[in-house]
Amino acid sequence: MITKNIELARDILMQDGIVAIPTETVYGLAGNAFSETAVKQIFGLKKRPFFNPLILHIKSMESLHSVVKEIPETALKLASRFWPGALTLVLKKQAHISDLVTSGMDTVAVRVPNHPAALELLAQLDFPLAAPSANPFGSISPTSAQHVHHYFKETLSIILDGGVCEKGIESTIIGFENDEPILYRHGAISIEEIEKVVGKIKIVTENSENPKAPGMLSRHYAPNTETHLVTNISESIKSYKSKKVGVLLFKENSQLQNCLFQEVLSNTGDFEEAARNVYAALHKLDQSDMDIILIEKLPDIGIGKSINDRLIRAVKKE
Ligand code: TXA
Ligand code: MG
């Protein structure tokens, strides 16, 4: 059921049930982070391997101390600058945070989401919400209640509708080594924004084997349709003359006017607008019965870099 009823969502969560919730980045599949029953259900619904840890969603900066310890100064600086918002911090966990949530690691990922419905819901609960993105493991993330419904109509009793996600791609993840911040996942807050607060930072995202960023699996956010990422769509499309080709463009391209199925992320070339639209465009293309999807790479700056990160993983072979 798709509903705007926050009290209903609260009641289900208080009984160890699972609710899809809106956030400003993507929809999450939320449950009581302190309940083993709830956390197990999240992994089950998502078909997510247990080695891939979850993010805790807390109601405010004040709640941070109840889930983590040894908070570096730079972490506090980042949290006060970006929370509520699309920044996830990976910090040393308190002993009571379950190994199930953290996949056995001694750190836990935490953020305060910036969405009125999520914040109102959290305010009514006395536990954090563990919530991965509300898509089956490896699939395109959901940015609307309808996307979640498409994936989980058979298995999820309630989806809290908070409209279309304002940011459209997941949070930026920052961890710490010897109190130095490290970027684990590019996301809705650009690295340039982060560096304005903490100076130049190390990036450790690329490698799926890297135990520090276990969720950075090479193939992720993937359509079911065969998909390629290219730098020049007008050229590449010539190789697929006999096929039904859908294209995903950053900006409009007059050379492709004859191409029947195209999604344009931003007419004006605005990165934030492109981020907001990218998953919806992928969902649409994937459901439009094309033989091939061709995606144009964005300029590799600002949020463009984060969008490219997702697109690269969307086309990776298993
Ligand atoms: O914007 C978001 O972050 C969304 C919304 C719902 O908040 N959530 C989200 O969750 O993207 P998920 O589960 O799809 O991605 C969480 C990422 C995974 O890559 C996971 O490996 C990483 O966070 N992660 C969680 N705990 C970690 C830890 N202790 N150390 C390193 N990475 C961690
Ligand atoms: Mg995800």
Side-chain angles (χ1 to χ4, degrees), residues 26 46 48 52 132-136 138-139 141-142 170 185 215 220-221 279:
V26 300
K46 215 180 134 79
R48 181 181 182 122
N52 197 352
S133 51
N135 50 278
S139 305
S141 303
E170 293 82 352
R185 177 172 75 182
H220 205 154
Y221 319 104
Y279 288 142

Side-chain angles (χ1 to χ4, degrees), residues 282-313:
L282 282 173
H283 278 282
K284 245 171 138 175
L285 283 165
D286 201 23
Q287 284 158 35
S288 61
D289 197 29
M290 294 289 128
D291 297 324
I292 309 271
I293 299 173
L294 292 181
I295 303 180
E296 175 177 64
K297 215 170 161 197
L298 278 74
D300 216 21
I301 43 168
I303 304 294
K305 201 187 249 315
S306 307
I307 301 171
N308 283 337
D309 171 89
R310 304 304 190 268
L311 297 175
I312 290 164
R313 291 172 207 279

